[in-house]
Every structure is written in structure tokens, then in C-alpha cells.
Amino acid sequence: MKLPIFVADAFTAKAFRGNPAAVCLLENKLDEDMHQKIAREMNLSETAFIRKLCPTDNFTQSSRFGLRWFTPASEVPLCGHATLASAAVLFHKIKNVNSTLTFVTLSGELKARRAEDGIILDLPLYPVHPQTAIGDTLVQDIRYSPDTRKLLLRLSDTYDRSFLENLQVNTQSLLQVENTGKVKGLILTLKGEPGGQTQAFDFYSRYFAPWVGVAEDPVTGSAHTVLSSYWSQQLGKKDMHAFQCSCRGGELEISLRPDGRVDIKGGAAVVLEGTLTA
């Protein structure tokens, strides 16, 4: 078996920044267990599998595809950066002729459309609900998203971006603290700072998901389906500019839509193209 495979860095215009995802194009049905084996072999936070929905479809002309995402440990219901990487591969490497692509996923239909300086993802927008803080003065607010099973911790406004960037998180201890299955991802977020010598962002974040085999994810589209909802309410804004403060870093442009969904725009750089032999 030989599969075309790519690696694309998402939410960046430069190689070796943003969040890398592997993208596999499936001409034929793949044995179920092979998805996980390939994702484990690639050992990136997510590997995406794009499949044809009809035998007559092709990757250049068709506009609708099936899409699944796997971490090295398990399948996940939503992954923004691997969706962006998948669209970038189809648009830029396969030369798909359509302006908008539709992906049929576990989270419903997701759309990716061309933009002048990137790709815009049409994703669900997930509400968050208040949670009780547990005596940590660093934490200003705690929210939980039952739809995504993500826990959001907003750090105190007294802290700045450098504090979040340098914060040490023991992800193994997270697995011991939370083992009920209620939480699958932890978002740490901080209100943005006014522009000055550095570029202005509305909010910052970092994302940890050891429960699905990802210690820290560099730039996370699915986390921003939750962050967009939260910070839109907090800031009273529909259009926002976000930065995820991992060591690779990534920028996201966010626009809340009237239909209750969110557009997230980012760039992508394809850094590897090859053939997987199994």
C-alpha cells in the first residue's frame, strides 16, 4: 500500500512555525486500525485522513470530502489546524479548482475557503459555562465546554504574555488530577495587551491535552472554537486577533458569524511531501 502524505505547518506563513499536521490522501478505503497506526508512526499532534465520498470523486475537481483526525493515541472529534493543513494541501499542492471545500467530519460539515492571505475555516462555536475556582489566585475565571470537554482557565489580568509563555505545566500531573474523563483538554488564556513595540492581540492562550496523547499542542483551532465564544463575551467583540504562546507560536484571525458559527483564518506552509509505504 502506498499513500500520498504531506506535512503542513498550520496557522503560520513560515515553515517550522505554527502547528504541524500530517495529511494523508486516501484513494481507497483504509483498514480501520491503519489510521491509528499511521498517526502513531507520524507522531505529530494530529494526522488527518482525507477520503473520497463517492468512487467518481477526485481530489482536484471535487469539493466535498470525508475527513478524520487522529492523535498518536486516539481519534478526536475536531481538529482545526489539521483541517487547515488538509485544505492547504488540496488547494496548494493538489491544485483543487474550487474556492470552497466541505469536509464531512465527526463534528458535522466544516468548510474551508480560499482567502487572499490564507484559508478561512468555518467551524462550530462552543459556549462555556462558569466553574468554581479552587483557591488559586493566578486564576481569574474558570469555564467548561461540555461540547468539547475542554476546561478553560483565564489567568489574572495582572500577568502578561511572557508569564504565560514561561509558565511550566506538568502535563503528567494533569492526568492524575483529572481522571474522570470529563476533561480532554486544558486551555490557559490571558487577556491581550495594547499594541506598542509588539503586535497587539486580543487574547493569548496555550493548550494541553495529555488525555489524548498530546502534552502541549502548538496552535489549536478546536481550542479557539471555545476561546472565541468566551473572549467575544468578555471583550464585546466579534472580530478578534489571537496568538497561541507555544514555543512555535501561531496567529489566528477570528470572526464570529450571525449563524452561531465562527470563521478562523490562518496561513499554512507545506513542508514535506512524500509517499507512505505500508
Side-chain angles (χ1 to χ4, degrees):
M1 177 186 66
K2 293 186 176 182
L3 297 175
I5 191 164
F6 304 81
V7 174
D9 294 337
F11 295 115
T12 180
K14 298 180 180 179
F16 315 124
R17 292 184 62 82
N19 198 354
V23 179
C24 285
L25 302 181
L26 303 181
E27 291 282 355
N28 301 296
K29 187 176 181 180
L30 188 66
D31 290 344
E32 189 63 25
D33 64 334
M34 284 300 297
H35 295 82
Q36 193 63 67
K37 289 179 179 178
I38 292 171
R40 193 175 300 120
E41 181 72 15
M42 297 308 298
N43 200 32
L44 296 172
S45 58
E46 266 86 13
T47 296
F49 296 88
I50 307 173
R51 69 185 186 278
K52 299 176 181 179
L53 296 177
C54 300
T56 56
D57 287 347
N58 67 77
F59 292 117
T60 303
Q61 300 291 329
S62 300
S63 62
R64 288 174 57 86
F65 302 97
L67 182 61
R68 297 172 71 180
W69 313 278
F70 287 77
T71 75
S74 64
E75 185 172 13
V76 294
L78 178 63
C79 180
H81 88 273
T83 304
L84 181 59
S86 298
V89 166
L90 290 173
F91 283 144
H92 304 320
K93 301 301 293 186
I94 308 301
K95 305 301 182 184
N96 189 284
V97 299
N98 296 283
S99 60
T100 300
L101 300 173
T102 300
F103 296 111
V104 179
T105 78
L106 290 176
S107 292
E109 290 191 355
L110 311 180
K111 295 184 184 298
R113 62 184 188 272
R114 299 176 190 266
E116 184 176 345
D117 54 350
I119 296 170
I120 299 174
L121 301 180
D122 168 9
L123 300 176
L125 183 66
Y126 292 115
V128 291
H129 306 289
Q131 302 291 296
T132 303
I134 310 174
D136 189 343
T137 56
L138 297 178
V139 177
Q140 182 164 323
D141 198 3
I142 300 179
R143 302 293 178 101
Y144 178 68
S145 165
D147 298 293
T148 64
R149 289 194 282 181
K150 298 185 193 305
L151 184 67
L152 181 154
L153 273 63
R154 175 181 174 181
L155 304 183
S156 169
D157 289 349
T158 60
Y159 294 98
D160 60 12
R161 171 177 168 174
S162 64
F163 177 85
L164 179 59
E165 289 176 329
N166 295 312
L167 188 65
Q168 299 297 310
V169 176
N170 185 336
T171 55
Q172 286 304 307
S173 68
L174 293 178
L175 294 172
Q176 299 171 3
V177 171
E178 166 49 46
N179 57 15
T180 67
K182 181 180 178 181
V183 175
K184 293 296 183 183
L186 172 65
I187 302 168
L188 300 182
T189 189
L190 187 68
K191 186 178 179 180
E193 301 161 319
Q197 293 183 339
T198 60
Q199 186 175 5
F201 293 98
D202 291 292
F203 63 88
Y204 304 111
S205 68
R206 290 175 67 188
Y207 182 69
F208 306 88
W211 300 274
V212 295
V214 179
E216 180 172 5
D217 199 35
V219 194
T220 315
S222 65
H224 283 80
T225 64
V226 176
L227 285 160
S228 299
S229 173
Y230 175 78
W231 282 111
S232 176
Q233 293 177 352
Q234 296 296 310
L235 301 175
K237 301 177 71 172
K238 300 293 185 183
D239 298 316
M240 294 172 287
H241 194 194
F243 186 80
Q244 192 157 332
C245 297
S246 66
C247 60
R248 293 175 65 102
E251 298 183 25
L252 307 91
E253 293 185 34
I254 295 163
S255 295
L256 272 67
R257 294 157 47 124
D259 61 1
R261 295 176 67 85
V262 61
D263 284 342
I264 298 179
K265 184 171 77 171
V270 179
V271 297
L272 183 148
E273 179 179 356
T275 302
L276 183 68
T277 304

